[in-house]
Amino acid sequence: MKRSRRLMDASVKGGDLSWRREMIAAAVIAVVLFLAIAAVSQLLSPQGTYWDISTTAADKSGLPQSHALYIAGVSAVYLFAAACILYGMRKYRPAQRAIWWILLVRYAWLAIFVPLRGIYVPDLFWWHVDSAVGTGCYLLAAGILVSNRSAAPKRELWVDALTICLGLTVVMYTYIGQPLSDLAGLSRLTVLSGVVIPVFDLVLIALTLLIAFTRDRANVALSMVIAAFVLMPIADITSQLDLVGRLHLRLSQVWFPPGRIAAVLIGVAALHPSMLTMQKRTDNDPVLWGRPRAMLIIVSFLLALGGLWLLPTPNFTVAPILASLSIVLMFLLICWRASRTMRALYDSRDRIRDLALRDADTGLPNLNGLKETYERAGHGEGEPGSLVLMRLSGLHQIGQLWGVALRDVWVRSVATRLKSDLEGEGNLARVSSDTFAVLIAPTLEAASTAADRVADILSRAMSAGENHVDAGGSEVSIVSTFDIGIACASHSATFDALLRDAESAVSIAHSQGENRVAHYDAVTASAEHRRLALLTSFTRALGQGEFFLRYQPVVDMVTRETVSFEALLRWQSPQFGEINPDEFIPLAESSRSIDALTNWVLSDVCSTISGIRAASSRVLPVSINISMQSLKQPGFAQRVLAAVHQHGLQVSDLHLELTEHAHGGDYHGELASLRRKGIRVFLDDFGTGYSNFAMLGQLGVDAIKIDAGFVKAIEQDAMIRDVCTGMLARIREYGISVIAEGIETEAQHKLLLSVGARYGQGWLYGRLQPSPG
């Protein structure tokens, strides 16, 4: 079975396309056989052949010898079908072969029986036996297929099939049964055959309808088998109509009689890879009426009415009564099915609504369900509500480490604890994959009590003794934290506003540490909203040219001569105005956008220096600020050097200043590579944050820049000034230059020069300018 499944997958995906060649060859053979039969039938015997069931043995004795070719052609069609079935079973080896064996035996028998009939058949007995047995074989095959595909089809499907068959019963009795009873000279066997075979056909049609109602449209083999099962009753019905003289067709003169087409379809179906899954069990038992099924039922009902109207009634007979009862029964069944369909539609609507309002994993209301509860309770229409929002942290890491299934088990266990312990205290919901919410009474006291209760439940769930989850026989300890936010709505608040405030409170709690509870605060929330708005507009601003550079000169404090420039990044937002770098640089680092910003600054500075070099012989170096986060990216040094060479610059034209908003990680290799190539590296904001003597030893920088705040401290505190003097002297011994920032007065200039600073920058030496020229 596994081998067959692999073969099926490979065939369907194109890995094995031999079945296509085989089906094309089979189709060519079938066409050749049909053309040969047609040619023999039409050219050698235009008046009719032995195939007419009215032909007797005596008539056959005078048939031309050339009819042997016709007989051989018909036999070849059935032999072709049998060979295809045998080849398909040997190639694909389906697990369930009973249907194919039955059809194989049937067509093998027909390949032998047709020549025997053509040579010697004393009467019609064997013709009737063969017809009954043949229909019985198809019945058995269809019954097995129905049983394999669905152990117990829904009664609605049986009713639909019964309704259609009732309509066909009236029609068949009108056009076959009644005329057959009026014919004189027919044997009892013929009459019996005219009754039994139509009954078999009706049962076969019913079983075929059950298969068709639940079929997979993508299964080609099943569609062909269904078509073949439909053609076999058509063949029997047309034969019976020929017998009673209702249809003057003489099937021997039809190029593609239904029975032979059915044989070819069965053979071709056996060659298709989908024959492996043709008998796969399905739960697709649609109760709702589809358009094709509804049309079939309507047509069968109209045919039944037409059959009743055409029934001859010269004398009182039971036939019109039975036909009328059949039509009444059909009408009742159609009404019952219509009611079931309407009920199914309503149930489907309720299920869809339930899916829209409920979390499928935990069974709790989802965000839409909570919102509906809020609005149904009258909140926002005069009675406010309070919302406690709790967010679990670390779920993504749990899914990566232990798998999504175990993560979902953990979330369900937390939901179960909350549902059990908070029963009656509010409306619990799961509003997102990692967030739960409780809608409670509109007082701040009730909200705080509920939040403390939730925090206690979650703390116990995440404690060392309670955080175990069964992972296939072994227990796994889950490490997770939570943040809880509380928001109380005003009388005019909507649910969306309440949820937004609760989200802000959760963000406040998260900023305070792990497992914290925070109330919504308008001031803090406003700052958080601004941060999120800036974060959202950051990428757009970079693409729309809202960022620009300004240049501040760096001077030799002894000669007052400008020796270099520092490129300072600015952001002029149409929405927020001018934004301070101290605000947007940390945002860029936290959102992983700092690399794009650094690349833009690097490109713009190099382009500006290149333009100055083309217009002037004197070019001063320009320093740009680089975050440690950018420096830790692999290939950063290569990108910097590529930008320098691309714009035709010297490596001495560009200096890098390291800011220390992010720290740690392996960046020394990139830094050493840049310094070996001749690019000077400065350590910015020395004396604050992480910039200290330890970093000087690690980085091996060319210069340090004393922070403006440290400059003011030197000016105001004599002790700090003395310490700074010794520190800078020590730094100069290692060949590291000292640059002081934020110098605004002459007093500061003289003081910093006295403590050992050689270079300085600030408003005293020059304002920001658009170009370093």
Side-chain angles (χ1 to χ4, degrees), residues 96-146:
Q96 298 168 320
R97 306 186 185 186
I99 294 176
W100 299 109
W101 278 116
I102 292 171
L103 296 174
L104 173 63
V105 171
R106 171 59 182 163
Y107 290 128
W109 161 250
L110 283 175
I112 300 172
F113 177 71
V114 167
L116 291 177
R117 269 193 57 205
I119 297 172
Y120 177 73
V121 177
D123 54 35
L124 295 176
F125 173 77
W126 291 107
W127 184 87
H128 294 302
V129 171
D130 176 68
S131 297
V133 172
T135 307
C137 287
Y138 290 113
L139 266 178
L140 182 59
I144 294 175
L145 186 55
V146 170

Side-chain angles (χ1 to χ4, degrees), residues 8 94 99 115 131 158-159 359 403 419 451 513 515 601 620 637 694 707 714 772:
M8 171 65 182
I99 294 176
S131 297
W158 284 105
V159 168
D359 176 59
K419 189 188 304 183
N515 303 341
V601 170
L620 296 177
D707 181 71
I714 294 173

